[in-house]
Amino acid sequence: MTPVDKLLDAIATACRVLTGLSLVILTVIFGWLVFGRYVLNATPTWVEQAALLLVMTIAFIGAAVGVHENAHLSVSVFRGLVPAPVRTAFVIVTDLAMAGFGGLMLVYGAKLTAFKWGSMIPLIQLPEGLRSLPLTIGGGLILLFSLAHLTRLALRRDLRRDTIE
Amino acid sequence: MGLLLLLGLFALCVAIGVPVAFALGIAAISAFAFEGLPLMIGFQRIISGINVFSLMAIPFFIFAGELMFHGGIAMRLVRFASAAVGAVRGGLGIVNVFSSMLFGGISGSAVADISALGSILVPVMKEKGYDADYAVNVTVTSSIAGIIIPPSHNMIIFAIAAGGGISISKLFLAGVVPGMLMCLCLAVAAYLVAVKRGYSAEAFPGWSALAFAFFGAIPGLLTAVIIVGGVLSGVFTVTESGAFGAIYAFLVTLLVYRSITWENFKIAVRQSVRTTSMVMILIACAGAFAYMLTFYRVPDKTVDLLTGLTDNPIMILLMINLALLVLGMIMDMAALILICTPIFLPVANSLGVDPYQFGMILLVNLGLGLCTPPVGSCLFVGCAVGKLPMEKAVRTIWPFYLAIFVALMLITFVPAISLTLPGLLDP
Amino acid sequence: AEWRGWNIHVEGYPNTVAMDKFAELVEEKTGGEISLQMFHGGTLGSQPDAIEQVRLGGLEIGNFNLGPIGPIAAEANVVSLPFIFKDVPHMFRVLNGEGGEMIAKGMEAKGLIPLAWYDAGARSFYNGAKPINAPEDVAGMKVRVMNNDLYSGMIAELGGNPSPMAFAEVYQALKTGVVDGAENNWPSYESTGHFEVAGYYSLSQHLIIPECVCINADAYNALSDEQKAAVKEAAMESAELQQQLWAEREATSRKMVEEAGVVTNEIADKGPFQEAMVPVYEAYLEANADLRPLVELIQATE
Ligand code: NA
Ligand code: NA
């Protein structure tokens, strides 16, 4: 493991902690919502909007970790049918496409965030721009992880592994 | 031209191995650029794809399922199923189907069902002298019951793809009978194949053992009661019931069964996040893809095309079934629900097919696709759990395909199977 | 030019018919220089998303309710103040005067130009338990509201429990008592089937929120003066049609639900409701001091 690999793994771990916490918090605030409605007779009106932000975080940051772990659903039949050099080309093009898409997520996500920062999400009074922030950060991470994979491939040290327990 | 780019680029990306979610996103964003639409809107569509309140139930169902698996509820459900129906010929095959009805019913995820139940049941079946291919076949095909029996996150995805207007509670109710019907067909297939192969029955453990297993399973079974019952009685909305299911599963495994450890809890959280993010990113990118399909008026054109071809509703329904089956063989479920619903639902509507019934037809078709090569995540996971090459499993799976197909045809042509229960909900 | 337009309503709805008419008139009045393709039923996204799409230029035209424009253009949020309009004609008098100009200016600064105003009727409370005649009747009730601090503030000040909830969940929630009541106009109350599960409709008319035919500012400013006039004229004519169809639709919906057994009641004295809104107005004007002139203008409009 080079220091760079260690750094990438550390980033992925931080993301896992963030998304895991988001899931637990999400569950707890819904418990609070029902408790508020029935026991306190005061429905906490912020839960809905806060929950949407948490789900965005789980989705986009979690998706980036999925890229790091190579865990996304893909169709591998055709890769298996072609000769090895073509397969390598497929892998490279895939990584380039992912990196490009991640880059676009980063750039246009940032633009959206800036565009919407001025208006507020009703009922929680946080900037609307927060909605596109997880996509922006997730895009940046996808760019990073895809480029890292390409570099490893070029150095013939593909360390990316599927970590499904 | 733009439509060709959208579909062609998507197919190309999928073929070279780009994850399906990102293939949808890349094709959609390219089409946005091609049409000169602001790319910011493309990413707005991706965000809005999951900025939907009803989707919130998905992480909860997944989390509840994972907690039930890692906290030992799944195992107790199997024990109960085994005591209840194990004494029939080929008993463990039927136990497998019955367990899926109980557990898959709760988690709503076919793959979770296989990894949870398959890893418990397949080794046991092999040990008791069942062939590996039989064990895998039953496990794989029965797992799709979880998609149809409520609650089911795939139903939520369908409701969203249908563009609101569909009540998730009614959809849940619509799934009960078709799900049980499918399990019944599969149980018959499991029985017949078992008889043909001469598998023996389990000894009936006696009424007290059955009662004991039942009491052990009650807290686990209550998870389903809480989720579905909570929704139907109106204590919770669908989303809240999912959260309560997860909280309840956690408390039961922590306090009643005392079987969940900090380590298990962390694994359950991590697996839930992983599955959730994979499903969500798919829904997100499909949002942008569906926008472009609408932009090119694909749904309208499909209606015209299909209804222009023939005006026989039976033929059109069969054609839709066939298209879904073929698509289901090469692509995964959630993506197809999101892509196909806006295209085929208007066709079905124009034929007077109820959207709730259509939902069942769609889900069973795509569920069957999960069990078929070349792309079938259930088949993949099932073979991995059973340590069996895919070719071997597929060679003897046809009686089970047939069983699902029979159920599918009944669901397609007998609306009452899907619509009677939800009809009770309306005055 | 080829334009695309967004509308959330289904086929046959007054707004849908009017927007189709608008598309037809635009093409006719510009001699075919501009064509407009309408996407009905919200197929291109939710209302807030579509507003954003028009602002960004992905769509040119939208038929929007001013409610969701409020968070973007503060001037437009004024119409979401409960009881700000006396009735629908009062609302149109304001919109066709200086008040309408001020709102339009605020929207224009955000890239949206309103071409004409549509009617969306008045929203009133409904529930399954009893007629509402005074704020005390709302006390303790779980009422579903749209996502806006003004609406939840309104219910809270009446002593109720504001429960924001996705629109699609409301029917089931009313039926099973997750919420006790909700609020909407006649056509929505009828078409959603909510009248089946909440049979008391009390004419509080607390919110009278207009709709607009909006155009992307850049697309509009790129037009020649004749084209601008033609587009504007087309929008005004479609608005006349919409208002007429809306009135008919309101009457039909009301008749239909009343025949189905819904109990409707006029509220003899809305004074106590309006008095209860004083804190809502105060908090709002404290946070938006620059909008005080607009609020006072509306209140002063006869
Ligand atoms: Na299920
Ligand atoms: Na099974």
Side-chain angles (χ1 to χ4, degrees):
Chain A
M1 293 267 283
T2 66
V4 176
D5 293 330
K6 277 189 193 152
L7 178 68
L8 290 175
D9 278 348
I11 294 175
T13 305
C15 293
R16 270 185 223 115
V17 172
L18 175 69
T19 49
L21 269 178
S22 300
L23 178 66
V24 173
I25 295 173
L26 187 68
T27 314
V28 171
I29 62 176
F30 266 90
W32 174 246
L33 174 76
V34 176
F35 184 79
R37 178 177 333 116
Y38 286 108
V39 183
L40 310 177
N41 199 25
T43 313
T45 51
W46 52 270
V47 168
E48 242 189 70
Q49 297 300 322
L52 285 171
L53 292 179
L54 287 170
V55 167
M56 299 276 178
T57 306
I58 296 174
F60 290 111
I61 309 290
V65 176
V67 170
H68 182 62
E69 295 174 348
N70 208 9
H72 287 283
L73 289 173
S74 56
V75 177
S76 52
V77 207
F78 300 100
R79 278 192 182 178
L81 294 176
V82 295
V86 183
R87 195 176 311 145
T88 312
F90 278 12
V91 173
I92 293 172
V93 175
T94 299
D95 276 327
L96 283 174
M98 294 287 289
F101 191 68
L104 287 175
M105 280 169 75
L106 176 65
V107 172
Y108 286 96
K111 283 189 178 182
L112 267 180
T113 309
F115 181 72
K116 299 204 283 189
W117 200 262
S119 42
M120 295 288 152
I121 303 177
L123 305 176
I124 51 173
Q125 295 307 325
L126 292 172
E128 271 285 349
L130 279 181
R131 263 196 237 282
S132 35
L133 205 56
L135 171 114
T136 314
I137 296 170
L141 290 169
I142 289 171
L143 174 67
L144 178 73
F145 290 140
S146 304
L147 288 181
H149 184 236
L150 271 177
T151 324
R152 289 168 180 177
L153 201 70
L155 298 172
R156 302 198 170 278
R157 310 186 291 105
D158 185 6
L159 292 178
R160 178 151 64 168
R161 59 206 179 275
D162 198 337
T163 50
I164 292 177
E165 285 90 347
Chain B
M1 192 52 213
L3 179 60
L4 215 63
L5 174 84
L6 180 75
L7 300 178
L9 200 56
F10 171 64
L12 185 72
C13 282
V14 169
I16 66 168
V18 176
V20 178
F22 293 95
L24 286 165
I26 290 167
I29 294 295
S30 306
F32 268 89
F34 179 80
E35 295 296 339
L37 295 168
L39 290 195
M40 273 161 88
I41 295 181
F43 289 95
Q44 178 214 60
R45 297 326 300 154
I46 291 180
I47 292 170
S48 296
I50 51 174
N51 191 30
V52 177
F53 192 67
S54 329
L55 278 179
M56 213 78 64
I58 293 178
F60 294 143
F61 292 153
I62 292 173
F63 194 25
E66 288 290 341
L67 285 168
M68 287 172 63
F69 175 33
H70 293 285
I73 294 180
M75 210 178 62
R76 284 172 176 84
L77 293 180
V78 170
R79 238 178 249 161
F80 166 53
S82 177
V85 291
V88 185
R89 271 283 278 258
L92 282 181
I94 297 166
V95 167
N96 195 325
V97 175
F98 191 49
S99 308
S100 285
M101 218 169 96
L102 296 178
F103 176 81
I106 300 163
S107 80
S109 158
V111 172
D113 178 292
I114 297 185
S115 28
L117 296 178
S119 54
I120 300 170
L121 274 169
V122 173
V124 176
M125 288 176 77
K126 281 201 213 165
E127 194 187 293
K128 301 252 168 144
Y130 290 76
D131 296 308
D133 60 333
Y134 176 81
V136 169
N137 289 341
V138 175
T139 303
V140 168
T141 48
S142 66
S143 72
I144 65 177
I147 297 164
I148 324 287
I149 295 176
S152 152
H153 72 254
N154 283 300
M155 285 186 182
I156 298 177
I157 298 178
F158 169 73
I160 284 160
I166 292 224
S167 144
I168 294 172
S169 338
K170 271 177 85 176
L171 202 57
F172 278 4
L173 273 182
V176 174
V177 179
M180 289 183 167
L181 175 73
M182 208 167 80
C183 286
L184 183 70
C185 293
L186 282 169
V188 169
Y191 172 75
L192 291 176
V193 175
V195 170
K196 180 128 187 293
R197 294 195 181 186
Y199 297 138
S200 58
E202 298 291 296
F204 180 63
W207 290 103
S208 65
L210 175 61
F212 191 72
F214 177 65
F215 282 116
I218 282 180
L221 287 170
L222 275 178
T223 320
V225 174
I226 286 189
I227 294 182
V228 179
V231 173
L232 297 181
S233 67
V235 179
F236 309 128
T237 63
V238 174
T239 316
E240 293 160 5
S241 76
F244 251 65
I247 292 173
Y248 174 82
F250 173 71
L251 291 179
V252 163
T253 51
L254 182 74
L255 302 174
V256 181
Y257 292 153
R258 299 174 186 226
S259 49
I260 195 149
T261 61
W262 173 236
E263 277 311 308
N264 280 344
F265 179 72
K266 279 199 296 192
I267 294 173
V269 170
R270 189 166 160 187
Q271 284 293 359
S272 306
V273 166
R274 186 197 297 261
T275 313
T276 303
S277 66
M278 273 163 38
V279 173
M280 288 289 180
I281 193 80
L282 198 60
I283 299 175
C285 291
F289 194 82
Y291 185 91
M292 289 317 290
L293 285 180
T294 309
F295 183 94
Y296 293 125
R297 304 259 183 208
V298 174
D300 302 349
K301 286 178 187 160
T302 314
V303 176
D304 292 347
L305 183 79
L306 278 181
T307 47
L309 227 50
T310 162
D311 50 8
N312 181 343
I314 294 179
M315 283 307 293
I316 294 181
L317 277 178
L318 281 174
M319 278 193 300
I320 293 178
N321 268 315
L322 188 70
L324 289 171
L325 266 177
V326 172
L327 287 170
M329 286 164 111
I330 53 175
M331 251 177 81
D332 224 66
M333 186 154 196
L336 281 175
I337 297 177
L338 292 157
I339 297 171
C340 292
T341 305
I343 299 180
F344 288 131
L345 183 60
V347 181
N349 271 340
S350 73
L351 295 177
V353 175
D354 188 277
Y356 295 94
Q357 186 198 357
F358 178 76
M360 298 307 126
I361 297 175
L362 180 93
L363 292 173
V364 176
N365 263 307
L366 300 183
L368 185 52
L370 290 177
C371 312
T372 59
V375 183
S377 44
C378 285
L379 189 59
F380 294 167
V381 179
C383 290
V385 169
K387 300 188 181 64
L388 188 76
M390 209 168 81
E391 311 85 79
K392 273 202 163 158
V394 172
R395 206 170 296 152
T396 52
I397 203 171
W398 64 267
F400 301 96
Y401 286 164
L402 190 66
I404 298 175
F405 188 75
V406 168
L408 174 62
M409 285 301 115
L410 286 170
I411 294 166
T412 303
F413 294 110
V414 187
I417 292 173
S418 315
L419 300 179
T420 306
L421 273 186
L424 298 179
L425 209 60
D426 284 336
Chain C
E2 271 191 39
W3 287 354
R4 278 180 299 274
W6 179 96
N7 158 40
I8 202 166
H9 301 286
V10 294
E11 296 296 332
Y13 208 76
N15 299 37
T16 307
V17 176
M19 286 306 284
D20 279 337
K21 183 75 184 168
F22 173 60
E24 192 189 310
L25 288 172
V26 164
E27 193 155 346
E28 190 184 303
K29 287 178 191 288
T30 59
E33 288 166 0
I34 299 171
S35 69
L36 169 61
Q37 208 190 355
M38 281 305 302
F39 289 83
H40 300 299
T43 47
L44 292 182
S46 68
Q47 184 140 215
D49 286 347
I51 293 169
E52 200 168 293
Q53 289 177 35
V54 173
R55 290 177 68 202
L56 289 169
L59 298 171
E60 284 76 18
I61 300 287
N63 164 213
F64 300 129
N65 188 284
L66 284 199
I69 295 181
I72 297 157
E75 289 83 354
N77 210 23
V78 168
V79 302
S80 285
L81 281 164
F83 298 104
I84 184 109
F85 296 118
K86 298 184 187 91
D87 48 29
V88 172
H90 177 234
M91 173 196 81
F92 276 116
R93 286 198 296 279
V94 169
L95 290 177
N96 294 328
E98 201 186 329
E101 277 167 37
M102 286 167 85
I103 293 172
K105 197 169 274 176
M107 288 168 61
E108 200 170 338
K110 302 291 178 180
L112 281 175
I113 296 179
L115 294 169
W117 306 107
Y118 277 16
D119 191 355
R123 298 172 74 97
S124 292
F125 292 119
Y126 50 86
N127 74 91
K130 60 185 177 199
I132 291 170
N133 281 300
E136 295 78 62
D137 296 326
V138 182
M141 230 181 226
K142 295 188 282 277
V143 183
R144 185 265 173 181
V145 287
M146 296 180 288
N147 276 330
N148 185 319
D149 295 76
L150 289 172
Y151 311 151
S152 58
M154 165 184 73
I155 300 296
E157 290 303 332
L158 294 174
N161 178 357
S163 308
M165 175 176 289
F167 192 54
E169 293 199 31
V170 178
Y171 181 92
Q172 192 62 15
L174 281 168
K175 182 174 169 101
T176 53
V178 171
V179 294
D180 303 310
E183 44 89 60
N184 219 319
N185 54 36
W186 285 114
S188 296
Y189 177 57
E190 173 255 310
S191 64
T192 52
H194 290 181
F195 71 94
E196 298 161 4
V197 285
Y200 292 94
Y201 192 90
S202 308
L203 285 157
S204 52
Q205 305 191 313
H206 52 278
L207 284 172
I208 302 177
I209 307 174
E211 303 211 344
C212 60
V213 181
C214 288
I215 183 166
N216 167 278
D218 293 336
Y220 186 71
N221 292 327
L223 299 178
S224 70
D225 285 345
E226 296 83 61
Q227 286 173 325
K228 279 182 189 166
V231 169
K232 181 98 186 166
E233 215 175 281
M236 302 291 266
E237 282 180 33
S238 79
E240 270 171 43
L241 174 66
Q242 192 271 345
Q243 287 160 27
Q244 177 206 332
L245 292 174
W246 179 266
E248 289 166 12
R249 175 65 195 249
E250 266 192 329
T252 320
S253 294
R254 177 171 186 166
K255 187 157 169 268
M256 195 178 200
V257 298
E258 284 179 341
E259 275 169 9
V262 163
V263 179
T264 43
N265 68 291
E266 300 279 346
I267 295 177
D269 181 14
K270 288 191 203 159
F273 288 91
Q274 282 151 331
E275 277 153 34
M277 292 305 109
V278 169
V280 176
Y281 274 68
E282 273 175 359
Y284 179 76
L285 288 172
E286 198 172 310
N288 304 280
D290 51 326
L291 292 175
R292 188 177 285 276
L294 178 56
V295 172
E296 283 169 358
L297 175 80
I298 297 176
Q299 286 169 334
T301 303
E302 280 305 312

